[in-house]
């Protein structure tokens, strides 16, 4: 069997044709064109699926937002893709293509990918966090993603780390991602330099010697660790997988480990903090994995 998998991001939709052993046969991406709304995104995916009709037996979707995993409906989505709240992704695609469809939150899919093919391979339980525009989380526990009562567990970005603090994109104040996301870092640094500076520019070797950047990076790393300390005391995990493009920086991961070990008690200092390994493939492979699970369950 083959699976068509899609990983929907704010600017691009990654897609791939993947076999039952999770080898990627074809992989590419296309623009999300999110400003046209959720229905336009669905049409883009359908157009790509039409090109591969007859070549796939299941479909996996990784998408931002809170997804009811049992139904495949996006319960809540941000304004990054207008109109996605309430979208019945599974129902639409299963009706049109007549194959099993699985839909889950993008970080859950990334965590599932890392669990089976990446940094979490061989681990029974771990936490996965991604740092980008926001902060996403996945709880991989006892061999599966823990989704909670309403499929909304793992929203680590919206832990309140600063009561009454900065306003978050969710409309509340003091959320972890308002301080620890990549965007939080670039916003502060850009303000201090009076021009936009991307994460990639901030981590250029010459800029890492700038006292302003050294100061802001230290503050930002401490904000990341603030959240990780709480997660360590709640879950006592053996492994924390750190994803997002900015976490590819070896210097950053080293600093986070060092600061975390200084902040937690002796029973928590054995936690390993590792970079995600799959990068752009994590969501695709995770989406393919849940699609195969659904296919197998329906075929029983």
């Amino acid at each position: 069997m083959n699976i068509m998998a899609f990983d929907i991001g704010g600017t691009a939709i990654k897609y791939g044709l993947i076999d039952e052993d999770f080898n990627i046969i074809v992989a590419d991406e296309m623009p999300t064109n999110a400003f046209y709304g959720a229905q336009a995104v669905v049409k883009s995916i359908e157009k790509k699926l039409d090109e591969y009709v007859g070549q796939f037996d299941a479909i996996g979707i990784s998408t931002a937002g809170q997804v009811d995993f049992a139904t495949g409906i996006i319960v809540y989505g941000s304004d990054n893709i207008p109109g996605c709240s309430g979208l019945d992704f599974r129902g639409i695609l299963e009706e049109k293509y007549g194959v099993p469809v699985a839909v889950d939150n993008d970080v859950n899919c990334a965590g599932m990918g890392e669990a089976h093919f990446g940094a979490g391979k061989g681990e029974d339980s771990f936490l996965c966090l991604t740092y980008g525009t926001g902060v996403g989380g996945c709880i991989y526990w006892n061999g599966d993603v823990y989704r909670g009562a309403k499929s909304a567990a793992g929203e680590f970005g919206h832990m309140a780390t600063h009561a009454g603090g900065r306003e978050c994109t969710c409309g509340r104040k003091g959320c972890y991602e308002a301080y620890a996301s990549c965007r939080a870092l670039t916003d502060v640094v850009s303000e201090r330099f009076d021009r936009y500076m991307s994460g990639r520019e901030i981590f250029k070797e010459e800029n890492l010697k700038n006292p302003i950047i050294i100061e802001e990076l230290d503050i930002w790393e401490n904000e990341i660790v603030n959240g990780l300390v709480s997660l360590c005391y709640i879950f006592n995990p053996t492994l924390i997988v750190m994803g997002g493009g900015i976490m590819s920086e070896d210097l950053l991961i080293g600093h986070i480990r060092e600061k975390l070990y200084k902040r937690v008690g002796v029973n928590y200092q054995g936690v390993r903090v590792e970079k995600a390994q799959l990068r752009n493939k994590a969501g695709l492979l995770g989406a393919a994995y849940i699609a195969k699970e659904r296919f197998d369950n329906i075929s029983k």
Side-chain angles (χ1 to χ4, degrees):
M1 69 165 292
N2 290 333
I3 303 152
M4 278 296 291
F6 295 85
D7 184 11
I8 304 169
T11 59
I13 301 172
K14 301 175 188 67
Y15 65 88
L17 181 65
I18 300 169
D19 71 18
E20 62 184 320
D21 296 318
F22 302 102
N23 299 304
I24 298 175
I25 303 168
V26 176
D28 206 343
E29 62 180 53
M30 57 188 175
T32 306
N33 294 328
F35 45 85
Y36 291 120
Q39 291 301 323
V41 171
V42 173
K43 293 299 180 187
S44 294
I45 288 174
E46 289 178 337
K47 185 176 179 181
K48 188 56 60 179
L49 286 167
D50 290 344
E51 296 177 17
Y52 289 89
V53 165
Q55 299 182 54
F56 59 86
D57 306 282
I59 300 167
I61 303 288
S62 163
T63 182
Q66 294 178 3
V67 179
D68 184 336
F69 185 69
T71 64
I73 295 173
I74 300 177
V75 177
Y76 173 78
S78 72
D79 291 337
N80 290 336
I81 303 179
C84 66
S85 295
L87 181 68
D88 184 4
F89 237 137
R90 177 192 289 176
I92 292 168
L93 297 181
E94 285 193 340
E95 181 177 356
K96 180 168 182 178
Y97 296 99
V99 300
V101 177
V103 186
D104 205 356
N105 167 268
D106 52 359
V107 186
N108 282 347
C109 285
M112 187 69 86
E114 292 291 339
H116 293 281
F117 314 106
K121 189 174 181 179
E123 295 288 334
D124 182 63
S125 302
F126 66 92
L127 304 179
C128 179
L129 292 91
T130 58
Y131 295 80
T133 304
V135 177
C138 169
I139 306 166
Y140 188 82
W141 219 249
N142 293 328
D144 200 0
V145 172
Y146 176 74
R147 296 182 175 87
K150 297 285 187 178
S151 293
E155 288 286 349
F156 300 146
H158 299 291
M159 298 185 295
T161 56
H162 294 262
R166 295 175 190 165
E167 188 165 343
C168 180
T169 54
C170 72
R172 297 170 181 81
K173 292 184 176 181
C175 292
Y176 181 49
E177 73 176 40
Y179 294 84
S181 65
C182 180
R183 182 167 65 180
L185 172 67
T186 58
D187 281 352
V188 170
V189 172
S190 297
E191 184 177 347
R192 293 201 64 178
F193 283 89
D194 200 27
R195 67 177 182 84
Y196 176 71
M197 291 186 71
S198 67
R200 184 174 286 108
E201 184 177 0
I202 289 169
F203 277 91
K204 284 184 177 178
E205 186 175 353
E206 61 270 24
N207 289 334
L208 291 175
K209 299 172 184 176
N210 186 299
I212 293 175
I213 288 180
I214 291 171
E215 177 188 355
E216 293 299 341
L217 277 175
D218 182 59
I219 293 169
W220 180 65
E221 289 166 358
N222 288 334
E223 294 291 355
I224 290 173
V225 172
N226 281 343
L228 296 183
V229 167
S230 294
L231 294 176
C232 282
Y233 278 105
I234 294 167
F235 292 100
N236 194 196
T238 57
L239 172 66
I240 299 174
V241 176
M242 309 286 280
I246 202 162
M247 289 299 164
S248 62
E249 301 290 341
D250 290 324
L251 178 71
L252 179 56
I253 292 291
H255 286 178
I256 290 170
R257 283 195 196 104
E258 183 180 349
K259 291 182 176 186
L260 178 62
Y261 295 159
K262 288 179 179 178
R263 295 271 305 277
V264 295
V266 64
N267 287 331
Y268 308 89
Q269 291 184 3
V271 62
R272 293 169 14 244
V273 180
E274 304 291 347
K275 292 187 295 185
Q277 292 180 0
L278 298 178
R279 305 291 295 274
N280 290 337
K281 296 178 182 178
L284 276 184
L285 288 171
Y289 192 90
I290 61 171
K292 187 174 187 303
E293 281 189 321
R294 180 158 170 77
F295 177 89
D296 290 343
N297 288 336
I298 289 174
S299 300
K300 287 179 180 177

